């Protein structure tokens, strides 16, 4: 198991006061948690997504909206601003960029958490057996949407040195060297890793940084419903799926983003891919229960490496 490193000092008292952030894809799950954590750190957070109180996206969940996310950001101590947007529509993304430009003239933090394609993924099928429209839709949701967003928003980020772009994905460059069980899903989740590395190259000379970040096995609203549990009794699912014991809350990843955004030396991660567990070891934070889950460490060392350890050894 990876040894813990000494925590890096990061200011804790509203360290992001005055910062302007956009969390693209903040309706639920990681995006919502990230937006709220940034608000708790004092940031003004624009939150975008397709599901509003008036309109439902293809994800089909009416229980979470971007308006709710904005309200949670404000309740946490920041300023939450909801902007409905489909990030596959360049004109809608242009409007988001123009609104932030008009309000503040810059963007300090861009978090690309766009996805919403879980309903399209069918594991165990060959590429040519996968429905082509569904496969291409995964690439639209997981890759094209990120490209459109960066094209319009990165020019606002580079107006001031110190800006940060965080690409949220599933897996690190190391863990994703293995096939991710579905041709299209593999491409969709490796895409943001390469995008962060490529952006890091293009950002040279600007004083800004880009990196990719992944949760481990995250207990999103949708994941909890899939397992028939809530956050309060999630361990009830471990009896059926023992590996679920290594799962983590969305807040764990959110604390990673907040810590990275507050780190004046974040440029050392420029172009790199990190997991929530790696960030936790670096910055000294924990998940909400005080543990430090390392889902990818467990997958690499136990499920693939055959180590004789339990999920609890990775918390």
């Amino acid at each position: 198991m990876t040894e813990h490193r000494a925590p890096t000092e990061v200011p804790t008292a509203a360290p992001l006061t005055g910062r302007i952030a956009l969390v693209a894809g903040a309706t639920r799950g990681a995006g919502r948690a990230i937006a709220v954590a940034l608000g708790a750190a004092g940031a003004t957070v624009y939150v975008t997504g397709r599901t509003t109180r008036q309109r439902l996206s293809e994800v089909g969940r009416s229980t979470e909206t971007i308006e709710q996310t904005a309200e949670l950001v404000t309740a946490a101590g920041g300023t939450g601003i909801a902007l409905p947007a489909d990030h596959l529509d360049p004109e809608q993304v242009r409007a988001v960029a123009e609104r932030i430009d008009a309000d503040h003239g810059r963007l300090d933090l861009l978090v690309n958490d766009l996805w919403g394609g879980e309903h399209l993924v069918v594991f165990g099928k060959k590429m040519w057996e996968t429905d082509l429209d569904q496969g291409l839709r995964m690439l639209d949701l997981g890759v094209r949407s990120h490209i459109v967003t960066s094209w319009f928003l990165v020019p606002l980020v580079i107006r001031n040195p110190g800006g940060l772009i965080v690409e949220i994905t599933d897996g690190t460059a190391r863990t994703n060297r293995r096939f991710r069980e579905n041709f299209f899903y593999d491409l969709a989740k490796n895409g943001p890793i390469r995008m962060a590395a490529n952006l890091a190259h293009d950002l040279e000379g600007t004083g800004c940084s880009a990196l990719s970040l992944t949760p481990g096995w995250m207990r999103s609203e949708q994941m909890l419903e899939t397992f028939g549990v809530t956050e309060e009794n999630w361990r009830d699912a471990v009896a059926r799926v023992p590996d679920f014991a290594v799962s983590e809350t969305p807040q764990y990843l959110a604390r990673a983003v907040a810590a990275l955004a507050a780190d004046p030396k974040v440029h050392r991660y420029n172009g790199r891919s990190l997991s929530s567990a790696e960030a936790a070891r670096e910055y000294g934070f924990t998940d909400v229960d005080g543990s430090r889950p390392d889902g990818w460490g467990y997958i690499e060392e136990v499920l693939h490496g055959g180590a004789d350890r339990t999920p609890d050894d990775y918390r």
Side-chain angles (χ1 to χ4, degrees):
M1 188 161 61
T2 306
E3 292 182 0
H4 286 202
R5 298 178 58 187
T8 298
E9 289 292 328
V10 177
T12 56
L16 300 182
T17 298
R19 302 278 190 92
I20 311 302
L22 166 63
V23 181
T27 309
R28 59 184 64 83
R32 170 173 285 190
I34 291 166
V36 173
L38 295 175
T44 294
V45 187
Y46 290 84
V47 297
T48 61
R50 296 175 294 168
T51 298
T52 70
R53 287 179 174 137
Q54 291 76 40
R55 186 172 63 249
L56 194 64
S57 79
E58 69 190 80
V59 175
R61 294 179 60 88
S62 61
T63 45
E64 305 94 24
T65 68
I66 59 167
E67 294 95 340
Q68 291 171 350
T69 300
E71 290 164 0
L72 289 169
V73 171
T74 301
T79 301
I81 302 167
L83 299 178
D86 181 342
H87 284 255
L88 286 170
D89 183 339
E91 291 310 308
Q92 292 187 41
V93 182
R94 185 193 302 274
V96 170
E98 290 176 347
R99 167 67 185 274
I100 296 172
D101 190 12
D103 288 352
H104 302 283
R106 74 182 201 280
L107 182 64
D108 301 307
L109 173 64
L110 168 61
V111 181
N112 248 333
D113 183 50
L114 299 157
W115 173 230
E118 288 88 353
H119 63 289
L120 300 169
V121 185
V122 180
F123 294 121
K125 283 191 175 185
K126 305 291 187 184
M127 182 270 276
W128 56 91
E129 297 171 344
T130 302
D131 182 274
L132 181 58
D133 287 340
Q134 291 186 351
L136 294 177
R137 183 64 175 172
M138 277 189 260
L139 296 181
D140 281 344
L141 293 169
V143 177
R144 183 165 169 261
S145 66
H146 288 233
I147 294 171
V148 172
T149 302
S150 291
W151 195 90
F152 283 103
L153 275 303
V154 170
L156 292 183
V157 175
I158 62 174
R159 287 186 178 174
N160 288 316
L164 178 63
I165 301 155
V166 180
E167 288 282 342
I168 304 297
T169 189
D170 180 18
T172 65
R174 178 172 180 267
T175 63
N176 281 8
R177 70 191 187 280
R178 292 190 176 87
F179 179 55
R180 292 304 310 276
E181 303 174 280
N182 175 282
F183 176 90
F184 296 97
Y185 184 79
D186 184 292
L187 292 175
K189 294 308 176 181
N190 275 292
I193 297 171
R194 288 302 302 170
M195 279 189 269
N198 295 346
L199 283 171
H201 179 275
D202 286 350
L203 290 170
E204 288 179 5
T206 67
C208 298
S209 308
L211 58 90
S212 64
L213 183 66
T214 178
W217 192 343
M218 192 179 69
R219 297 194 301 273
S220 64
E221 300 94 338
Q222 197 165 358
M223 181 64 68
L224 290 168
E225 286 189 10
T226 297
F227 280 84
V229 293
T230 66
E231 184 54 37
E232 288 67 35
N233 70 342
W234 69 270
R235 280 192 172 272
D236 289 353
V238 174
R240 290 180 284 119
V241 185
D243 296 340
F244 196 53
V246 80
S247 63
E248 63 196 56
T249 71
Q251 286 73 23
Y252 195 45
L253 184 73
R255 291 174 177 182
V257 174
L260 288 160
D263 184 356
K265 298 180 180 179
V266 72
H267 191 70
R268 69 190 187 277
Y269 294 120
N270 192 36
R272 290 181 55 186
S273 64
L274 298 170
S275 69
S276 50
E278 289 169 331
R281 289 193 289 270
E282 175 67 21
Y283 292 105
F285 63 84
T286 67
D287 204 345
V288 295
D289 64 357
S291 70
R292 286 186 187 158
D294 184 3
W296 286 110
Y298 175 76
I299 290 169
E300 286 288 290
E301 297 172 12
V302 178
L303 298 187
H304 291 303
D308 185 18
R309 301 191 184 109
T310 70
D312 286 339
D313 293 326
Y314 290 82
R315 294 200 68 85

